[in-house]
Amino acid sequence: MSDDVARLAELLRGSSRAVVFTGAGISTESGIPDFRSPGGIWTKMSPIDFQDFVASAEMRREAWRRRFAMEGSWSDARPNAGHLAVAALARSGKVSEVITQNVDNLHQESGIPPERVIELHGNTRYAKCLDCGERMEIADIRKHFEDFGDPPDCPACDGVVKTATISFGQAMPELEMARAQAATMACDLFLVLGSSLVVYPAAAFPLVAKRNGAKLVIVNREETEQDPYADLVLHSEIGPTMGAAVNVL
Ligand SMILES: [Zn+2]
């Protein structure tokens, strides 16, 4: 066992209420592409802004075409060793909440109860009406799209239907932001896994935790701007690192 893993395990042992904060890096280990990384999809194709989605039927068709093209990446992905290590920490009571920037549902699939996963950027595995919030399933929308060339309107209120994600230009979800803030203020250890900590306001949480007296750990393949403030920084893969630390707890 490396000294870094031993130190991570020691910090986990000393914590009675940890919060885990995850970004794209934990899910790339499950084969989900990081849209924002160099060579990622958003460096080749600009994301569709929320205002454009709402204003234009053509933009909505394009957004749904892209979503359906990605379906294999989402539906084939399974939780990896990193997700499973976090789930073990949640099961044991060590981790109170998981705050995630990911939209892939893999924390829930790893066995963490949905009410303990705080999704800052929503979830792409289902859709919602922008007006009334009615949930719709991606497969049903795809069937309608293939039959009629357009996504369906909301069956309840005729509103616009969109994946349950937070797009560029869309307001952050108030309830989730408030829950993330509360979890951050209540924790004694804040563990960042696979986030480059560049997308605000989500990226503000680690320093909020640190200023509030929590220990801060960052596990990410690349350096982050917040590395200098952390009690421990590991530039390593998340699955093997977290798996090893949880094994020795
Ligand atoms: Zn509706």
Side-chain angles (χ1 to χ4, degrees), residues 129 132 134 154 156-157 159:
C129 170
C132 75
E134 173 96 346
C154 171
C157 78

Side-chain angles (χ1 to χ4, degrees), residues 7 11 188-192 196-197 200 203-219 223-235:
R7 176 83 181 116
L11 284 165
D188 59 13
L189 174 66
F190 195 95
L191 179 53
V192 176
S196 46
L197 299 175
Y200 283 83
F205 288 115
L207 291 182
V208 169
K210 181 69 189 165
R211 274 199 298 269
N212 195 44
K215 300 276 193 219
L216 175 60
V217 175
I218 299 175
V219 185
E223 287 181 12
T224 80
E225 283 182 11
Q226 297 182 24
D227 286 3
Y229 308 104
D231 297 276
L232 177 67
V233 177
L234 284 79
H235 293 144

Side-chain angles (χ1 to χ4, degrees), residues 108-168:
Q108 292 92 326
E109 283 179 35
S110 75
I112 300 179
E115 64 274 14
R116 291 171 67 185
V117 180
I118 303 171
E119 296 177 312
L120 297 180
H121 296 159
N123 189 312
T124 195
R125 303 302 302 278
Y126 61 97
K128 275 203 309 204
C129 170
L130 289 175
D131 291 333
C132 75
E134 173 96 346
R135 176 179 168 136
M136 295 181 70
E137 301 310 316
I138 301 294
D140 296 336
I141 295 167
R142 186 172 196 164
K143 170 101 176 54
H144 188 281
F145 194 91
E146 283 166 1
D147 289 348
F148 301 102
D150 266 316
D153 295 330
C154 171
C157 78
D158 288 333
V160 168
V161 175
K162 180 180 170 295
T163 54
T165 48
I166 304 299
S167 296
F168 286 92

